[in-house]
Amino acid sequence: MRDFIYNAHPARVILASGALARLPEEVRRLGLERVMVLTTKEQRQSGDEVASLLGPACAALFPGAVMHTPVAVTEEAMRVVADRSIDGIVSLGGGSTIGLGKAIALRTDLPQIVVPTTYAGSEVTPIIGETQDGIKSTQTTSKVLPEVVIYDVDLTLGLPASLSATSGMNAIAHAVEALYAKDGNPIIDMMAVEGVRALAGSLPRIVVDMGDREARAAAQYGAWLCGTCLGAVGMSLHHKLCHTLGGTFDLPHAETHTIVLPHALQYNAPAVPGAMAALAGALDNADPARALYDLAGTLGAPRALRDLGMPESGIDRATDLALSNPYWNPRPLEREALRACIAAAWAGEPPARGA
Ligand code: NAD
């Protein structure tokens, strides 16, 4: 048994079909009387439904959440918080909406109830990324950790197959990197393996039948576990690379994660035999990096960064950037091998064994 430190994050998690109906009770349980419901303009209708479910306990609906949590949007929402004497936040949506709720909590310490509708996992992390003047900065603080999470499978039935696939692969990436985290521990390892197994088993069923409730519930369970991994231990090459690529070439978040994951795992493979064995079990495949590449193919998800609009000249730029900002990784960053890893992800080739 290896030595470890395990920090558990407090959270009340409710996972059930129809769980949204419990929202008014959860709002009362926290003693809230004037909550603001957050969502995106695309999910406005669901936001309206939640607002009417809450009745007088809903003092405002703000359907203005957008990707990357721009500070300007947060400031707009903060004016509503002040004008309407808001005493709590209900975030309904994916990582973008949850990010806005966290940004408000960071400034006000207001309690958050989160109803996630994707698999990105932000609802169970103390992490917040905010964008100002085109620069995204991330911080970790328990101030932004939501108090209550309500997983209702019914709200995910409309999540398009493509978004289900990439958001699920994004969640798997959290678990993969948790398995070789510097500050990893056996509790998180169990969650990671179970999370990968749940998502890898359910996502192919979801893209065939978006309304498969059993698969949807398994994916949500997996997303919770994988998000918990992200919130509990440090991430390395894969997440840092995706952050650099996304910021430098303005690439979409979940798609970038989906494409890079098999290659980042292959890069680290020689240094992490324990994680590779755990993933081989979870994916039921002796070659986990290849299995993740094949899974993305089965899901019809993008597999080449060039298809997202990254120029070929970006391979060298991304390599330079990845090397210029050193961070801990289980395998030291070696220019040639790292460039080969990024080049394979750019071209959409299978991860190169022995790279
Ligand atoms: P998203 O929240 O950006 O949602 C994408 C689109 O899908 C939005 O238009 C949204 O309204 C819509 N949508 C969401 N759920 C839907 C549903 N069930 N049916 C129909 N449409 C739906 O996507 P995401 O992948 O969940 O979040 C990505 C963002 O989250 C990124 O900015 C990323 O950095 C952040 N993130 C943060 C953390 C963290 O711990 N802080 C973790 C993961 C992701």
Side-chain angles (χ1 to χ4, degrees):
M1 171 57 71
R2 63 185 156 142
D3 299 346
F4 66 88
I5 296 173
Y6 171 57
N7 287 307
H9 292 304
R12 177 173 161 85
V13 175
I14 300 165
L15 189 151
S17 173
L20 183 64
R22 298 174 67 137
L23 179 62
E25 191 184 325
E26 292 300 318
V27 166
R28 279 194 297 277
R29 217 183 128 264
L30 291 178
L32 307 177
E33 293 174 345
R34 299 185 58 77
V35 302
M36 173 155 81
V37 174
L38 305 177
T39 192
T40 58
K41 71 172 177 349
E42 292 82 9
Q43 289 179 285
R44 161 111 210 202
Q45 199 187 329
S46 304
D48 283 334
E49 284 162 21
V50 168
S52 32
L53 175 69
L54 289 171
C58 177
L61 170 69
F62 187 89
V66 293
M67 192 83 129
H68 302 311
T69 329
V71 169
V73 173
T74 303
E75 283 168 353
E76 198 187 326
M78 286 292 296
R79 284 193 282 279
V80 182
V81 169
D83 290 351
R84 305 275 175 93
S85 308
I86 297 298
D87 63 3
I89 302 295
V90 172
S91 304
L92 173 90
S96 298
T97 302
I98 298 167
L100 174 59
K102 286 177 165 183
I104 295 170
L106 182 68
R107 290 159 176 77
T108 59
D109 236 347
L110 287 179
Q112 305 164 73
I113 301 178
V114 175
V115 187
T117 62
T118 70
Y119 305 132
S122 177
E123 63 278 3
V124 284
T125 80
I127 305 167
I128 162 124
E130 294 186 276
T131 310
Q132 187 155 34
D133 302 327
I135 296 170
K136 187 165 183 177
S137 41
T138 301
Q139 55 178 303
T140 300
T141 160
S142 52
K143 259 179 122 171
V144 305
L145 187 72
E147 278 71 7
V148 179
V149 184
I150 300 179
Y151 290 107
D152 184 342
V153 69
D154 299 356
L155 299 172
T156 64
L157 298 177
L159 185 66
S162 58
L163 247 171
S164 303
T166 53
S167 144
M169 292 294 289
N170 184 186
I172 289 176
H174 309 330
V176 165
E177 291 231 288
L179 283 167
Y180 52 67
K182 191 182 178 186
D183 52 354
N185 62 70
I187 314 299
I188 287 300
D189 285 359
M190 282 193 292
M191 290 187 161
V193 167
E194 178 74 355
V196 171
R197 193 182 319 234
L199 278 160
S202 57
L203 293 175
R205 291 164 58 196
I206 290 170
V207 296
V208 172
D209 175 8
M210 271 174 53
D212 184 334
R213 303 175 73 87
E214 213 176 288
R216 285 288 193 185
Q220 228 178 6
Y221 168 64
W224 166 47
L225 292 167
C226 293
T228 303
C229 293
L230 171 68
V233 298
M235 299 286 115
S236 37
L237 177 67
H238 169 77
H239 280 75
K240 310 287 180 193
L241 208 48
C242 288
H243 187 84
T244 302
L245 289 165
T248 310
F249 305 107
D250 195 24
L251 307 181
H253 177 87
E255 287 88 340
T256 306
H257 272 266
T258 304
I259 295 166
V260 171
L261 181 61
H263 304 281
L265 177 61
Q266 190 61 59
Y267 180 92
N268 279 332
V272 296
M276 294 306 279
L279 286 168
L283 294 164
D284 196 19
N285 189 314
D287 184 350
R290 179 68 199 228
L292 290 170
Y293 177 82
D294 290 343
L295 177 60
T298 304
L299 300 177
R303 291 200 288 190
L305 292 171
R306 69 170 158 199
D307 293 344
L308 302 186
M310 177 176 156
E312 189 167 11
S313 58
I315 298 171
D316 283 319
R317 185 140 173 247
T319 309
D320 288 343
L321 286 169
L323 290 164
S324 68
N325 184 10
Y327 46 82
W328 183 85
N329 188 59
R331 176 179 170 189
L333 298 188
E334 298 157 20
R335 176 175 290 275
E336 212 174 301
L338 186 60
R339 192 194 183 283
C341 163
I342 297 170
W346 180 82
E349 290 159 2
R353 288 198 94 166

